[in-house]
Amino acid sequence: MRIAFAADDSNETTAAVVQHLIEQHEVLDVAVPGAPWPDLGTAVGRAVVEGRADLGVVMCWTGTGTAIAANKVPGVRAALAWDPWIARGARLWNDANVLAMSLKRLAPDVAVEVLAAFLAVEDPDPEESANIALLD
């Protein structure tokens, strides 16, 4: 799977996320050094909707800003997740295609667990298809 990734800062948490991604997936790093977080969220969103990536991951201090920026791209369903259950549910019940996480409030191991839960869902729950269609 090809994953678009961008973060507006780097630390142990982002390093752990990137390491997990490159071990199991192809990573499309769309970050431009020094770019503001709204541009990073938008770049990941565009990579997903344009088909250059299957899914996206954005990280900023809270995760909220990059999620909002990504969600401005038509066709993006970015979800802010802080634990694996939320991340899994975002894919399963909302067909989220971009994961947003805080790089300041998540420990590296927790961020990797959240990421793994998000990526483990192959397809949304068919029983939610009518609700997911309403999101479009």
Side-chain angles (χ1 to χ4, degrees):
M1 189 172 353
R2 180 179 283 172
I3 310 296
F5 176 82
D8 73 340
D9 200 356
S10 58
N11 61 12
E12 291 179 10
T13 301
T14 58
V17 166
V18 168
Q19 183 63 37
H20 182 81
L21 285 172
I22 63 175
E23 287 174 357
Q24 300 186 16
H25 304 282
E26 182 180 348
V27 179
L28 176 63
D29 185 353
V30 298
V32 175
W37 53 261
D39 289 350
L40 299 176
T42 300
V44 168
R46 284 188 182 136
V48 172
V49 299
E50 291 171 0
R52 292 181 286 128
D54 301 301
L55 296 171
V57 177
V58 292
M59 300 181 77
C60 64
W61 281 36
T62 66
T64 306
T66 50
I68 291 170
N71 277 323
K72 297 289 185 178
V73 178
V76 170
R77 289 177 302 281
L80 175 61
W82 55 92
D83 76 23
W85 187 84
I86 297 294
R88 180 179 179 277
R91 288 277 303 131
L92 189 62
W93 302 315
N94 310 121
D95 196 20
N97 53 11
V98 174
L99 171 65
M101 294 187 289
S102 169
L103 59 80
K104 292 290 186 184
R105 299 299 296 173
L106 289 179
D109 60 329
V110 174
V112 169
E113 289 175 15
V114 171
L115 174 64
F118 185 81
L119 297 177
V121 177
E122 292 182 22
D123 296 306
D125 180 350
E127 292 182 16
E128 290 296 322
S129 62
N131 288 326
I132 292 168
L134 292 173
L135 296 174
D136 291 332

